[in-house]
Every structure is written in C-alpha cells, then in structure tokens.
Amino acid sequence: MITAQHISKTYKVSKRDAGFSSAFKALFRKEYEYIHALNDVSFTILDGEMVGYIGPNGAGKSSTIKILSGILTPDAGTCRINGLIPWKNRIEHVKNIGVVFGQRTQLWWDVPVLDSFELLKEIYRINTRTYRQNLEQLCHMLNLSELLKTPVRQLSLGQRMRCELAASLLHDPAILFLDEPTIGLDAVSKLAVRDFILKLNKEKHTTVILTTHDMQDIEALTSRIILIGKGKILLDGSIHDIKKGQESTEEALAAFYRSHDI
Amino acid sequence: MRLYGKFFMMHLKSIMEYKTSFFLSCIGQFLVSFNVFLGMYFMFQRFNNVSGFTYEEVLLCFGITLMEFSLAESVARGFDTFDSMVKQGDFDRVLVRPRNEILQVLGSRIEFSRIGRILQAVVMFSYGFAVSSVRWTLGKVLTVLFMLMGGTIVFCGIFLLYASLCFFTIEGLEFVNIFTDGAREYGKYPVCIYGKRVLLFCTFVIPYGLIQYYPLLYLLDRGKPYYCLLPAAASLFFFPCLFFWKLGVRHYTSCGS
C-alpha cells in the first residue's frame, strides 16, 4: 500500500535573460526562482491497483514518481510504501519496485539484451531459478525470444520498450512505475505494451502507477486517475468525472486544464 | 565485488564492438605519459639535480606517483564523468537499484584504454626502481607498498570529491582537474621543490606530500623513521570526501522530464 501525505517539493532554479551580456552577468550574480513542483500532495493507492497519474507538462508528475521511487527527498510531508519510507530506506524499498522511464534506457547500448538482463540478475541478487522462470514468462508475454541476442542499438523503439519492461520486472517487483511508457511508439507497439500491462496486473497483481499524455492509455488501462496541476491534486477519481456528453477524453481533459488555468 | 566483476565484463563486451578505437586510445594514453617522462629526461640532461634530488631519485618519485594515479584512475574513472551522469539523469537509475551508489557509479564506466597508462606506469615504476641507488630493506619495500595504497586512496578521494561537487553545481568543475591530472603532472617531482607554501598545502589540505615527498625521504635515508607511516595518515583524507558525497546524494535534485 502506498500512502503519501502532504508532500511538498520546491526547486531552486537559476534564471537569466537570453544573450551574452546576461550570461556574463549571471557569472557573478545569479538570480534564483523558486518553483513549487509539489504542493501538499496526498493520496493512497492500494495493492494491485492501476492508477493513471496525469497532468500537463511540468505539473509535478515526474517529481512525484521520483519521490515515490526514492530518488528525491521531499521538503515536507510523509510517504510510506509497504511500511518503508522511500528516501530513508532506499535500498530496501527499491528491491520491491520496478521503474521504467520511457525516455531513457536502462539497457546497455552495445551488448545483446540478454547481457543487460544478466547484469540485472546480479544487481538485484535474483536467484537463478527465479530468474529463469521470470525470464521465460516475460519472454513469452512480451514476445522477446527473437530479440534477446540483438545489441540494443539495433532494436527499434518498440522492441526496446518491450525489453525495457522486461528488464524492470525481472526481480518480481510489487509496484511498477511507468513514466510515459508509450511515448513515441507506433500503434502496434502501443497495443502490445498496453496488453502486457493489463495482463501483468491481472496475473501477478502488480500495482501499476503510470504517467502518460496518451488518453487512450488511460482509457485502456486505468479506472482511477489522479490529476495534478501546478503541484496540486485537482482530481482523484475516474476519467468519467470530467467527461460531459459526447466529447472525447482528450477534449474533456483540455477543457478541464483550461478551466483550472493550468 | 562480484557485481564489479560483472560490470567489468559488460564493459569488456561493449569495447570489443569497437576494436580499432580501443587500440588507438591505448596507444594515445601510453604516449601522453611517455611525453612527460621525455620532458623530465631532457631537463636532467642540462641540470643534474633539482633542489638536491638527482635524476634517479626524481624518476623513482615519478614512477610511484604515476602508478598511484593510474591505479586510482582505473578504478575511479567513473567519477570523472559523473557530471554527465547527473546532467542526463542517469543517476536516477542508480538510485532505483538496491545497491551501493558508489559501486554502481564506479561500474558505470570502466576505461580499458587506461591500460596504456598503467603499462606506462609499470614501465616507469620498474625503471625507477632499477636505476635508483636506494639500499632496499624490508621496511622500505613495505613503505613503497604503503605509498601505493595510500596514494591510490588519496587520488580516489579527490575523484570522489569531484563527483560530489556535481551535486551542487555542474558548471566550471574543470578546476578540480588541477588536483587530479595536475597532481599527476606536478607529482613527478617531490612537492618540496615548489616551495614551502605548496608543501604545507600538500601536507595538511590535500595530502600529496604524505604519499610522495615524506616517504620518499625515508626511502632515500634522509627522513625521520615515522615518515614511512605517513601514507596511512593520508588515507584518512578519504573520510571527509565520503562524507561530502553522502551530503551530495541527499542534496540531489535530479533533472527534468
């Protein structure tokens, strides 16, 4: 179970005008601006739930994921995930989670996928039997057997994303964080990824928290959405709460963003 | 340790994809430090001593310092590119894995082309030994081992310090190279030749003197007996560096996307 209470996070960013002279000025005197990425955010997510975490760019989605996965320490607030505080019990906590960053890869560029998997086996100290079992199962579900021997640099984005998913699930995590898992994928790959996530949730009862800008992801995968804007939670419920009449989810969402001026 | 071995194999596999580039950079690495040696050699052709140190003695000093640096570099080079790891957000990945962060950063980059430099260091080290007029005793051999260990730890500490600074700012960190690559270049001569202030700095702030100058005096029968233990004191330098690193990890703010 994930409980987050009153989480706040502020970043200090330096700002300056464009151009050489202001760049030169910034050498000596920097001006800072405080950005409230998260402002009193609270929610609870039960085991086995699938939650879509959505909001416009810069709303604080990634910050939340980073706090939940133990990368960042919030300025205020508490968070417990299966009894552990992510940023304090980092090592214990991350054993039980898988994280996929859609825009980055955790696979090694120049070596076959299987080699990266073997390294993960070592990193997570997975015993050989569990590893074989999981690998076989994931290969079957994601249709990877052809890809395992190919160097990552030769994979297409869709193929790579499937490998990426497998890589983050080899150690049987109870919670999976997906940060824009379908970004840049073609229709076939998107469907494959969605199918897989649904199946995973059903068969292994994995808690899935996903951020995305693709409304079809949301419709296909999650019954619950948490909508965040300017660091605040604006809605915790179903996508149908904001949909009126015949408009598409995309339109409804855009209208919602506009009405909240975010 | 097993994990580090695993990282090592991964880098080996990766590098085998680009053979030519690998050999060329090995040769390059070798030649760069060979250059330093040539500079020293020609200088001693004209002057037969520097602040009372003869060619043979300086050579021994250079051999040992280069060896210390190369050893440190081959383990701790991951820290040297740590700024790009922070900039590109790859450190996030390190943090979501259940292993020590330092081990993972070290494993993230292992440069086999450094083998060129290590080879060079071994050659210099053995040459320095062969021509030196030191009367070797068990104590002195142990002192050399001590120097190598202490020196490797001090250089690793500086690399770690460099990496820790990346948590606070990622601009203008080039100046830290004065203490790494710079120290390698200047370290070919015993630090006392640079004057009293430098020596004081190298004794109490960044303890180069303790891993090079003082134990060298001991080897040459010019120092006090306790000088042979100073490399051990130098390795204490690692603790503040480690503390600084931990502080940095807590301060880490990741980056966009």
Side-chain angles (χ1 to χ4, degrees), chain A residues 30 62 66 71-72 90-91 94-95 99 101 104 106 108 110 115 119-120 122-125 153, chain B residues 2-3 6 10-11 13 17-18 89 92-93 95-99 101 252-257:
Chain A
K30 267 197 179 166
S62 288
K66 281 173 185 168
I71 295 171
L72 292 182
R90 187 183 71 79
I91 295 210
V94 297
K95 279 179 192 163
V99 188
F101 297 111
R104 296 184 205 142
Q106 66 162 322
W108 287 57
D110 288 317
D115 280 327
L119 183 68
L120 287 170
E122 196 61 42
I123 288 177
Y124 285 97
R125 298 195 171 98
R153 61 166 193 269
Chain B
R2 253 190 73 191
L3 181 62
K6 207 73 184 172
M10 287 295 272
H11 283 286
K13 282 180 206 162
E17 299 269 319
Y18 306 101
D92 290 0
R93 184 48 74 184
L95 286 176
V96 298
R97 286 175 172 168
R99 284 305 187 97
E101 306 101 32
Y252 179 61
T253 47
S254 187
C255 68
S257 101

Side-chain angles (χ1 to χ4, degrees), chain A residues 9-11 14 30 62-63 66 69-73 90-92 94-95 97-101 103-112 115-116 118-125 151 153 164 168 179-180, chain B residues 1-15 17-18 87-102 104 107-110 169 171 249-257:
Chain A
K9 177 86 192 167
T10 308
Y11 295 111
S14 56
K30 267 197 179 166
S62 288
S63 296
K66 281 173 185 168
S69 55
I71 295 171
L72 292 182
T73 312
R90 187 183 71 79
I91 295 210
E92 275 308 304
V94 297
K95 279 179 192 163
I97 64 167
V99 188
V100 175
F101 297 111
Q103 320 224 40
R104 296 184 205 142
T105 177
Q106 66 162 322
L107 305 166
W108 287 57
W109 203 240
D110 288 317
V111 293
D115 280 327
S116 292
E118 299 262 324
L119 183 68
L120 287 170
K121 169 178 184 285
E122 196 61 42
I123 288 177
Y124 285 97
R125 298 195 171 98
R153 61 166 193 269
E164 223 49 79
S168 56
D179 198 358
E180 306 191 23
Chain B
M1 218 50 226
R2 253 190 73 191
L3 181 62
Y4 191 75
K6 207 73 184 172
F7 273 121
F8 190 85
M9 289 312 290
M10 287 295 272
H11 283 286
L12 202 60
K13 282 180 206 162
S14 302
I15 208 145
E17 299 269 319
Y18 306 101
K87 265 185 225 164
Q88 286 161 16
D90 291 334
F91 191 63
D92 290 0
R93 184 48 74 184
V94 165
L95 286 176
V96 298
R97 286 175 172 168
R99 284 305 187 97
N100 179 280
E101 306 101 32
I102 293 182
Q104 289 187 71
S108 73
R109 176 135 174 191
I110 300 172
T169 172
E171 294 156 44
V249 173
R250 226 175 308 149
H251 188 269
Y252 179 61
T253 47
S254 187
C255 68
S257 101

Side-chain angles (χ1 to χ4, degrees), chain B residues 64 68 134-151 207-235:
Chain B
I64 292 176
E68 291 167 350
V134 174
R135 275 172 286 114
W136 292 105
T137 60
L138 181 67
K140 285 183 183 171
V141 174
L142 284 179
T143 306
V144 172
L145 287 180
F146 245 46
M147 287 166 84
L148 288 183
M149 279 194 294
Y208 296 123
L210 304 188
I211 52 167
Q212 188 225 30
Y213 171 63
Y214 296 109
L216 187 77
L217 287 184
Y218 175 77
L219 293 182
L220 303 174
D221 293 317
R222 286 185 216 158
K224 304 197 176 74
Y226 73 86
Y227 280 4
C228 67
L229 292 173
L230 288 178
S235 32

